[in-house]
Amino acid sequence: MSTAGRTTTAGRTRPTGMKIATIVAGAVITLLLAIPLAVQVITAFRGPFLPFGVSSAKWSVDNFVTLWELREDFWSVLGSTAVFVGGSTIISLLLAFGLAWVTVRTDIPFRRVISVLVVVPFIIPPIVKAQAYQLMLSPESGVLNQLLRLLPGDLVIDPYSFATMTVVQSLTNVTFPFLMIVPILTSMDGSLEESARVSGASWGQTLRRVTLPMLWPGLLGVAVLTGILGLGSLEIPLLFGQEAGKDIFALKLWNLISAGAGELPQYGLAAAWGCVFLVITTIAFVIYLRATRSAERRASISGKGFRPTTMKLGGWKAPVLLAIFVFVLLTAVLPMFALLWSAITPYPIAFSFEALATQTHFTAFGEVLADGEFWASLGRTLLIAAASATIACVAATVLAYGIARGRRTPGARAMDLFASSSVAIPAVIAGFAMFLTFLVINPVIPLAGTIAALVIAYSYRVSIAYRSSYSATLQIRKELEEAAVVSGASPLEGFRRIVTPLLMPTVFAVWIQMFILGTNEFTLPAFLATPESRPLSVYMYAMISPRSAQLYQPDQGAAMALIFTLLVFLIGYGLQWAVSLRAIGRARRRSAIPGLGARTAAPSNEPPAPATRAVAAQELEEQRELAGR
């Protein structure tokens, strides 16, 4: 019997190393996602405080009964949340679609510059953007209200109105749908739109009857994910919503567990709220899956005649450029200026050249750099972000390979869906569920309030890494692994020595993205961090929140926000620059190998010769070089 045959026979009797690794990765992802949500559901039905370790805990539906008895509050929160999330999602999508359309499908000048300017706010941590908007919209000293007072009518924006909070939320989320819509528009064949125009259809009719039906599945997915992102965001509601007096869901959950003096936190009622909104997001996610399962029928790219078209704006170039300038002004320039002005002034004052000359100072930056807690929280931030990104990427890559290369059994399909489902869990629900889990297990496993708890919580976004690794695995041909098995290597060794190097460019790119998300994270540590484990985002919030008593230093908070943004920008782009240099180096080394291009390009009709370890090693090296390109 051949080596491959013996391996196959053995695989039927005992699990191989690769199967064991896949099972371990699946167990890790299950622990990250299923157990916290299960604890939340149990808490909702077993309360009223904590489900275990409390003598008064009992199984009941009292929390849901209480929720329904407070139906006026229930419908108010539900309605406010729907308006807040729905309104901000619609505005974000409209702005993102317009910006993507202009940069991809028109002849607008400076398209690359516009794309960079739209993406730059993604690097700014959400809590920093929330703080910047709050400073920019201050009634007396806000730079935007100062500019509006120069216009006729004495227009002033109320920063704490519900409408303002909704618009601010939409402006902070534009980059995410923009990045998702750009490839959708890039891959859409414009010949269909040209045909509609030649047939006499107006631009509005073409958009309604041709463009949007073709883009519908992709846009629906972007809308669902943007809505879930907005539902789980705590930064804007926490800084704006409490003043407005509107209890949207994220703020309601936060207030229920942040009990005041003489009160007990209402964990059971908060868990019931979380279950209600988790059902809502799950339904939205299922609707998205059902709506996009036949998306291939709307595909417009083929190997014949595909050509993206560019629309000439003509006289509309100047108005469109002006609109883009206003957008960049509102999302990047004015917020950063507001932060800088707050950092160099001793107290909130309106901008003037006299104040600039007589009342500004830069001592806040020196005080931040001399603050030991700043450097300690920064170190914790980098450690938590790096460790969580590593755990998520390793577990997701192993599981994605095991499912992609395994049989499509019902269990494998269920695990595939489950590993992809964390995008349907809002961050505020994930943070609260993790908070409950660590409280429950703390008598046995004391993790509550530790850095390890934050690392585990941050890793819940594992589906980002899983979907990327799954798609990258499908692009690797099985012949390489089969050659390794025939040469005597185990499936685990083939995965480690052949597949993993080919997946590394994708995995590392995802790792960078998850690392940046981790450094920017505020919602999860807001539920889980203590003064001994808090990352920089939570420490910065303590500096800018008047409720923080002795820690409240708004000028140092603004200076810290600017330093934090600069550090995230340098780290993120520095890692991407290093990856680019590595890819260029691989491409140059490959071009220096004589005859390699001809050998890899020339097809052969001869049956493959028996593989040897030397051949497998050579194949591996060539595929590494190709992946590097």
Side-chain angles (χ1 to χ4, degrees):
M1 182 180 293
S2 66
T3 305
R6 289 194 300 270
T7 303
T8 304
T9 303
R12 294 172 183 168
T13 58
R14 68 177 187 272
T16 63
M18 191 64 235
K19 288 183 179 179
I20 294 175
T22 303
I23 292 172
V24 171
V28 170
I29 293 177
T30 300
L31 291 173
L32 291 175
L33 300 180
I35 291 183
L37 295 180
V39 170
Q40 176 176 295
V41 174
I42 293 173
T43 304
F45 286 97
R46 182 180 170 88
F49 187 62
L50 286 176
F52 307 107
V54 180
S55 58
S56 60
K58 61 179 181 179
W59 292 99
S60 69
V61 293
D62 291 347
N63 290 317
F64 292 95
V65 171
T66 302
L67 199 64
W68 182 246
E69 288 176 350
L70 301 173
R71 62 176 60 92
E72 184 177 346
D73 179 56
F74 175 82
W75 291 114
S76 175
V77 171
L78 203 63
S80 298
T81 304
V83 174
F84 173 72
V85 175
S88 61
T89 299
I90 291 173
I91 297 174
S92 296
L93 285 176
L94 291 176
L95 291 173
F97 184 83
L99 290 167
W101 182 269
V102 166
T103 55
V104 173
R105 306 305 293 269
T106 71
D107 63 343
I108 193 76
F110 314 114
R111 283 184 289 181
R112 292 186 178 179
V113 175
I114 294 171
S115 298
V116 172
L117 292 176
V118 175
V119 174
V120 163
F122 179 72
I123 302 295
I124 304 175
I127 188 63
V128 173
K129 287 187 283 188
Q131 178 191 4
Y133 278 112
Q134 191 178 45
L135 293 171
M136 184 180 75
L137 294 171
S138 174
E140 300 299 328
S141 59
V143 61
L144 181 58
N145 278 323
Q146 283 187 263
L147 292 176
L148 292 176
R149 287 193 181 97
L150 300 177
L151 302 177
D154 194 27
L155 177 64
V156 177
I157 298 176
D158 179 8
Y160 302 115
S161 70
F162 189 77
T164 301
M165 184 174 64
T166 303
V167 173
V168 169
Q169 178 70 25
S170 67
L171 292 178
T172 61
N173 284 343
V174 170
T175 303
F176 175 75
F178 172 82
L179 291 174
M180 298 186 70
I181 292 174
V182 163
I184 297 175
L185 287 175
T186 303
S187 61
M188 188 186 74
D189 192 350
S191 61
L192 300 176
E193 296 169 299
E194 284 190 355
S195 299
R197 294 288 296 155
V198 170
S199 300
S202 63
W203 284 114
Q205 291 174 323
T206 302
L207 180 67
R208 179 173 57 88
R209 303 185 64 178
V210 177
T211 307
L212 290 181
M214 292 171 59
L215 299 177
W216 168 250
L219 292 180
L220 177 62
V222 175
V224 170
L225 296 180
T226 305
I228 293 174
L229 181 68
L231 180 64
S233 175
L234 184 62
E235 297 85 4
I236 300 299
L238 196 59
L239 288 179
F240 288 81
Q242 297 193 68
E243 301 292 339
K246 293 290 186 179
D247 272 347
I248 66 171
F249 168 64
L251 191 58
K252 183 70 174 180
L253 204 62
W254 173 262
N255 290 333
L256 284 173
I257 70 170
S258 303
E263 298 179 352
L264 288 175
Q266 303 180 61
Y267 295 141
L269 188 58
W273 274 108
C275 289
V276 170
F277 277 89
L278 185 60
V279 170
I280 293 174
T281 57
T282 302
I283 293 173
F285 189 63
V286 170
I287 292 174
Y288 157 65
L289 292 177
R290 291 182 62 87
T292 56
R293 63 184 178 181
S294 60
E296 66 276 0
R297 289 187 295 180
R298 301 173 187 267
S300 62
I301 297 180
S302 65
K304 181 179 179 180
F306 168 70
R307 53 188 181 91
T309 57
T310 300
M311 185 182 76
K312 297 186 180 299
L313 291 178
W316 285 94
K317 284 185 180 180
V320 169
L321 284 174
L322 178 61
I324 294 173
F325 172 77
V326 172
F327 172 80
V328 174
L329 190 70
L330 293 177
T331 57
V333 179
L334 291 182
M336 289 297 100
F337 176 81
L339 277 177
L340 178 61
W341 182 249
S342 177
I344 63 177
T345 51
Y347 53 87
I349 56 176
F351 173 80
S352 67
F353 289 103
E354 180 182 356
L356 179 64
T358 60
Q359 300 193 47
T360 57
H361 60 84
F362 291 87
T363 58
F365 292 94
E367 291 171 349
V368 168
L369 295 177
D371 182 6
E373 178 58 26
F374 166 76
W375 294 107
S377 59
L378 175 62
R380 289 191 290 265
T381 299
L382 300 179
L383 173 62
I384 295 167
S388 61
T390 302
I391 291 173
C393 287
V394 170
T397 302
V398 173
L399 182 64
Y401 175 79
I403 292 180
R405 290 293 192 254
R407 292 180 298 173
R408 298 298 293 172
T409 62
R413 288 194 291 268
M415 192 63 201
D416 178 51
L417 180 62
F418 177 73
S420 306
S421 65
S422 71
V423 295
I425 306 174
V428 67
I429 291 180
F432 176 62
M434 293 284 184
F435 170 76
L436 286 177
T437 301
F438 293 127
L439 278 184
V440 169
I441 68 173
N442 200 59
V444 180
I445 307 176
L447 288 177
T450 65
I451 292 178
L454 290 170
V455 171
I456 295 171
Y458 280 36
S459 303
Y460 101 95
R461 289 194 174 93
V462 67
S463 63
I464 298 174
Y466 175 79
R467 294 314 309 174
S468 299
S469 298
Y470 186 85
S471 300
T473 300
L474 294 180
Q475 295 176 2
I476 299 175
R477 300 183 65 178
K478 294 183 180 180
E479 284 83 352
L480 295 173
E481 302 145 70
E482 293 172 352
V485 171
V486 171
S487 301
S490 67
L492 181 59
E493 188 178 7
F495 170 76
R496 181 176 60 86
R497 301 186 63 182
I498 294 179
V499 177
T500 300
L502 299 177
L503 289 177
M504 280 308 296
T506 297
V507 172
F508 195 54
V510 175
W511 188 93
I512 293 174
Q513 181 184 5
M514 296 191 69
F515 176 80
I516 294 176
L517 288 174
T519 57
N520 290 347
E521 184 61 58
F522 172 78
T523 301
L524 295 176
F527 285 92
L528 298 167
T530 62
E532 292 74 26
S533 63
R534 63 189 173 194
L536 189 54
S537 59
V538 177
Y539 181 52
M540 188 169 58
Y541 171 73
M543 300 286 287
I544 64 177
S545 175
R547 301 174 181 84
S548 301
Q550 70 273 14
L551 287 178
Y552 179 59
Q553 297 286 343
D555 57 340
Q556 292 185 35
M560 192 177 298
L562 291 171
I563 296 173
F564 187 25
T565 302
L566 179 61
L567 289 174
V568 173
F569 181 84
L570 292 177
I571 292 172
Y573 277 91
L575 290 173
Q576 293 181 357
W577 179 70
V579 172
S580 300
L581 285 182
R582 185 179 180 185
I584 292 173
R586 283 180 169 179
R588 287 176 177 173
R589 289 195 302 270
R590 181 180 182 278
S591 63
I593 300 176
L596 180 60
R599 184 167 62 252
T600 57
S604 174
N605 296 324
E606 296 294 328
T612 62
R613 292 184 182 272
V615 173
Q618 185 180 9
E619 280 278 303
L620 170 60
E621 184 62 29
E622 293 181 5
Q623 290 296 328
R624 281 177 174 174
E625 300 298 340
L626 289 173
R629 296 187 68 189

